C-alpha cells in the first residue's frame, strides 16, 4: 500500500488522526504530517467494487457499481465458459 504524501512538504508521512462517516461510502479524514506538522483534511470515498465479497448484495449498506475492470473480466469469463461448452459438443453429422 502506498502512503499518502503531505500536500505541504511532499513527504510520505501522513497519519490519519481521526475520521468521520459522511455516508456509507464516504468518510471525512483529519490527518497530520509527522515531518512538518501540517494538518490537512480530506475525503475518502468508495467508488465501485473490483471483486464482490461473500455478503449477499441484499445485505450491503450501500449499492456500489461494478468497476469497469470487473465488468470486462466478467464478460471475458462468460465468453470463455460459452466457448468451452461449444468446444465440448460433439458434431451430430
Amino acid at each position: 500500500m502506498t502512503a499518502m504524501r503531505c500536500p505541504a512538504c511532499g513527504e510520505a508521512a501522513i497519519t490519519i488522526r481521526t475520521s468521520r462517516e459522511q455516508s456509507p461510502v464516504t468518510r471525512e479524514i483529519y490527518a497530520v504530517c509527522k515531518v512538518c506538522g501540517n494538518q490537512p483534511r480530506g475525503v475518502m470515498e468508495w467508488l465501485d467494487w473490483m471483486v464482490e465479497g461473500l455478503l449477499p448484495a441484499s445485505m450491503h449498506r450501500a449499492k456500489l457499481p461494478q468497476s469497469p475492470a470487473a465488468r470486462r473480466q466478467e464478460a471475458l469469463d462468460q465468453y470463455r465458459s460459452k466457448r468451452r461448452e461449444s468446444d465440448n459438443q460433439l458434431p451430430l453429422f
Side-chain angles (χ1 to χ4, degrees), residues 29-51:
I29 297 169
Y30 298 88
V32 63
C33 176
K34 293 185 266 182
V35 174
C36 71
N38 186 34
Q39 295 185 20
R41 180 175 61 97
V43 175
M44 182 182 85
E45 180 179 33
W46 300 122
L47 301 175
D48 51 32
W49 56 267
M50 300 293 295
V51 175

Side-chain angles (χ1 to χ4, degrees), residues 7-26:
C9 70
E11 294 293 323
I14 290 287
T15 300
I16 296 174
R17 291 185 299 125
T18 187
S19 69
R20 174 172 71 175
E21 185 175 69
Q22 300 295 315
S23 77
V25 297
T26 308

Side-chain angles (χ1 to χ4, degrees), residues 63-77:
K63 306 299 181 211
L64 291 175
Q66 187 179 30
S67 74
R71 283 196 305 269
R72 282 191 301 273
Q73 186 62 49
E74 186 176 286
L76 183 59
D77 292 345

